Amino acid sequence: MATKTVTQSDGTVQVSWESGYTQVKRLAPGIAFLRLVGFMPGVAFDEMIKPLARELEAHSSLAIFCDTTGFTRYKSEYRARWIEFLKSSNGKVQGYLLVKSALIRVGVRLINLSVKAIQAYSDQPSFDAACKEVYPAYQKASLPLPLTDDVYLAT
Protein backbone atom coordinates (compact mmCIF):
# COMPACT_ATOMS: atom_id res chain seq x y z
CA MET A 1 0.00 0.00 0.00
CA ALA A 2 1.46 3.33 -1.06
CA THR A 3 1.56 6.21 1.39
CA LYS A 4 2.13 9.87 0.71
CA THR A 5 3.72 12.15 3.32
CA VAL A 6 3.42 15.93 3.08
CA THR A 7 4.57 18.58 5.56
CA GLN A 8 2.31 21.63 5.54
CA SER A 9 3.57 25.20 6.02
CA ASP A 10 2.43 25.15 9.68
CA GLY A 11 4.52 22.01 10.34
CA THR A 12 1.60 19.57 10.24
CA VAL A 13 2.77 16.23 8.88
CA GLN A 14 0.07 14.55 6.85
CA VAL A 15 0.35 10.89 5.87
CA SER A 16 -2.30 9.61 3.48
CA TRP A 17 -3.12 6.38 1.66
CA GLU A 18 -6.06 5.02 -0.28
CA SER A 19 -8.34 4.47 2.71
CA GLY A 20 -7.36 7.10 5.27
CA TYR A 21 -4.92 9.63 6.62
CA THR A 22 -3.24 10.97 9.72
CA GLN A 23 -2.28 14.49 10.68
CA VAL A 24 0.42 15.19 13.29
CA LYS A 25 1.07 18.71 14.55
CA ARG A 26 3.50 19.80 17.25
CA LEU A 27 1.65 22.19 19.57
CA ALA A 28 4.50 22.86 22.03
CA PRO A 29 7.64 21.11 23.22
CA GLY A 30 6.58 17.56 24.16
CA ILE A 31 2.95 18.11 23.10
CA ALA A 32 1.42 16.97 19.82
CA PHE A 33 -1.97 16.70 18.14
CA LEU A 34 -2.83 13.59 16.12
CA ARG A 35 -5.87 13.06 13.91
CA LEU A 36 -6.71 9.57 12.64
CA VAL A 37 -9.22 9.20 9.80
CA GLY A 38 -10.42 6.10 7.97
CA PHE A 39 -8.81 2.67 8.01
CA MET A 40 -5.41 2.27 9.70
CA PRO A 41 -3.22 -0.49 8.25
CA GLY A 42 0.08 -1.36 9.92
CA VAL A 43 2.02 0.54 7.25
CA ALA A 44 0.26 3.76 8.29
CA PHE A 45 1.98 3.58 11.65
CA ASP A 46 5.52 3.75 10.25
CA GLU A 47 5.25 7.23 8.74
CA MET A 48 2.80 8.63 11.29
CA ILE A 49 4.99 7.78 14.27
CA LYS A 50 8.15 9.52 12.99
CA PRO A 51 7.29 13.09 14.08
CA LEU A 52 5.93 11.80 17.40
CA ALA A 53 9.08 9.77 18.06
CA ARG A 54 11.26 12.80 17.24
CA GLU A 55 9.27 14.91 19.70
CA LEU A 56 9.61 12.27 22.42
CA GLU A 57 13.34 11.98 21.82
CA ALA A 58 13.82 15.76 21.97
CA HIS A 59 11.76 16.33 25.13
CA SER A 60 11.87 13.05 27.13
CA SER A 61 8.07 13.06 27.49
CA LEU A 62 5.16 13.36 25.11
CA ALA A 63 1.46 14.18 25.51
CA ILE A 64 -0.57 13.23 22.44
CA PHE A 65 -4.01 14.77 21.95
CA CYS A 66 -5.73 12.49 19.45
CA ASP A 67 -8.97 13.04 17.55
CA THR A 68 -10.27 9.64 16.45
CA THR A 69 -13.78 10.74 15.47
CA GLY A 70 -13.10 9.85 11.82
CA PHE A 71 -11.17 6.65 12.65
CA THR A 72 -13.28 3.75 11.39
CA ARG A 73 -11.22 0.56 11.77
CA TYR A 74 -7.69 -0.80 12.01
CA LYS A 75 -5.53 -3.87 11.45
CA SER A 76 -4.41 -5.62 14.63
CA GLU A 77 -0.83 -4.91 13.49
CA TYR A 78 -1.56 -1.17 13.86
CA ARG A 79 -2.69 -1.64 17.46
CA ALA A 80 0.32 -3.92 18.16
CA ARG A 81 2.71 -1.23 16.92
CA TRP A 82 1.12 1.33 19.25
CA ILE A 83 1.64 -1.08 22.15
CA GLU A 84 5.32 -1.53 21.17
CA PHE A 85 5.84 2.23 20.90
CA LEU A 86 4.15 2.95 24.23
CA LYS A 87 6.02 0.16 26.04
CA SER A 88 9.35 1.31 24.63
CA SER A 89 8.67 4.85 25.89
CA ASN A 90 8.79 3.56 29.48
CA GLY A 91 5.83 5.63 30.65
CA LYS A 92 6.97 8.84 28.98
CA VAL A 93 4.01 9.00 26.57
CA GLN A 94 0.46 9.82 27.61
CA GLY A 95 -2.42 9.78 25.15
CA TYR A 96 -5.66 11.72 25.40
CA LEU A 97 -8.18 10.44 22.86
CA LEU A 98 -11.52 11.70 21.65
CA VAL A 99 -13.28 8.44 20.80
CA LYS A 100 -16.77 8.08 19.31
CA SER A 101 -16.53 4.54 17.88
CA ALA A 102 -17.19 1.45 20.03
CA LEU A 103 -14.63 -0.49 17.96
CA ILE A 104 -11.91 2.09 18.60
CA ARG A 105 -12.83 2.20 22.30
CA VAL A 106 -12.26 -1.59 22.46
CA GLY A 107 -8.86 -1.09 20.82
CA VAL A 108 -7.96 1.53 23.43
CA ARG A 109 -8.92 -0.89 26.21
CA LEU A 110 -6.74 -3.60 24.66
CA ILE A 111 -3.78 -1.23 24.49
CA ASN A 112 -4.33 -0.18 28.11
CA LEU A 113 -4.25 -3.83 29.19
CA SER A 114 -0.61 -3.88 28.08
CA VAL A 115 0.42 -0.36 28.97
CA LYS A 116 -1.77 2.11 30.81
CA ALA A 117 -1.02 5.18 28.74
CA ILE A 118 -4.32 6.31 27.24
CA GLN A 119 -7.27 8.26 28.60
CA ALA A 120 -10.34 8.18 26.37
CA TYR A 121 -13.10 10.78 26.23
CA SER A 122 -16.43 10.30 24.48
CA ASP A 123 -17.38 13.97 24.07
CA GLN A 124 -15.59 17.04 22.77
CA PRO A 125 -15.98 19.23 25.89
CA SER A 126 -14.41 16.59 28.19
CA PHE A 127 -11.58 15.99 25.70
CA ASP A 128 -10.92 19.73 25.33
CA ALA A 129 -10.91 20.18 29.13
CA ALA A 130 -8.37 17.35 29.56
CA CYS A 131 -6.15 18.85 26.85
CA LYS A 132 -6.34 22.28 28.50
CA GLU A 133 -5.41 20.79 31.85
CA VAL A 134 -2.24 19.30 30.35
CA TYR A 135 -1.53 22.24 28.03
CA PRO A 136 -3.28 25.45 29.17
CA ALA A 137 -2.69 27.14 25.77
CA TYR A 138 -4.66 24.37 23.98
CA GLN A 139 -7.19 25.79 21.53
CA LYS A 140 -9.23 23.68 19.16
CA ALA A 141 -9.00 26.52 16.61
CA SER A 142 -5.21 26.04 16.33
CA LEU A 143 -5.54 22.42 15.18
CA PRO A 144 -5.31 21.40 11.52
CA LEU A 145 -8.67 21.08 9.80
CA PRO A 146 -9.81 17.62 8.70
CA LEU A 147 -9.38 16.89 5.01
CA THR A 148 -12.13 15.93 2.60
CA ASP A 149 -12.21 12.42 1.12
CA ASP A 150 -11.35 13.56 -2.39
CA VAL A 151 -8.20 15.29 -1.11
CA TYR A 152 -6.64 12.57 1.02
CA LEU A 153 -6.67 9.62 -1.35
CA ALA A 154 -3.05 8.76 -2.07
CA THR A 155 -3.72 6.91 -5.32
Side-chain angles (χ1 to χ4, degrees):
M1 175 179 299
T3 62
K4 179 181 174 185
T5 302
V6 176
T7 301
Q8 306 293 334
S9 61
D10 69 351
T12 299
V13 177
Q14 177 182 300
V15 181
S16 59
W17 54 94
E18 185 177 312
S19 56
Y21 70 92
T22 63
Q23 292 172 306
V24 179
K25 182 177 182 182
R26 179 183 189 265
L27 301 177
I31 300 175
F33 172 78
L34 171 63
R35 176 174 285 118
L36 304 172
V37 176
F39 170 66
M40 298 292 140
V43 70
F45 186 85
D46 297 335
E47 289 300 314
M48 174 212 66
I49 204 64
K50 287 177 183 177
L52 296 172
R54 283 192 301 268
E55 194 66 21
L56 175 59
E57 188 175 311
H59 301 288
S60 73
S61 69
L62 179 62
I64 304 171
F65 305 147
C66 184
D67 179 351
T68 71
T69 56
F71 186 7
T72 56
R73 56 194 174 90
Y74 58 89
K75 287 271 223 190
S76 60
E77 178 185 5
Y78 182 80
R79 184 184 65 239
R81 286 205 169 128
W82 266 115
I83 291 169
E84 286 175 31
F85 175 74
L86 293 169
K87 279 185 174 180
S88 71
S89 76
N90 296 316
K92 296 177 182 175
V93 176
Q94 184 64 46
Y96 303 85
L97 276 64
L98 177 58
V99 181
K100 302 281 182 162
S101 162
L103 174 67
I104 305 308
R105 191 170 294 282
V106 168
V108 168
R109 286 185 188 127
L110 289 171
I111 290 171
N112 274 338
L113 286 173
S114 297
V115 55
K116 298 198 181 336
I118 301 172
Q119 296 176 38
Y121 302 88
S122 59
D123 63 89
Q124 188 76 51
S126 297
F127 173 74
D128 290 343
C131 294
K132 267 195 170 304
E133 188 172 316
V134 172
Y135 175 52
Y138 171 84
Q139 292 181 21
K140 190 175 177 211
S142 67
L143 304 179
L145 294 173
L147 305 176
T148 59
D149 289 350
D150 60 337
V151 172
Y152 75 79
L153 298 179
T155 58

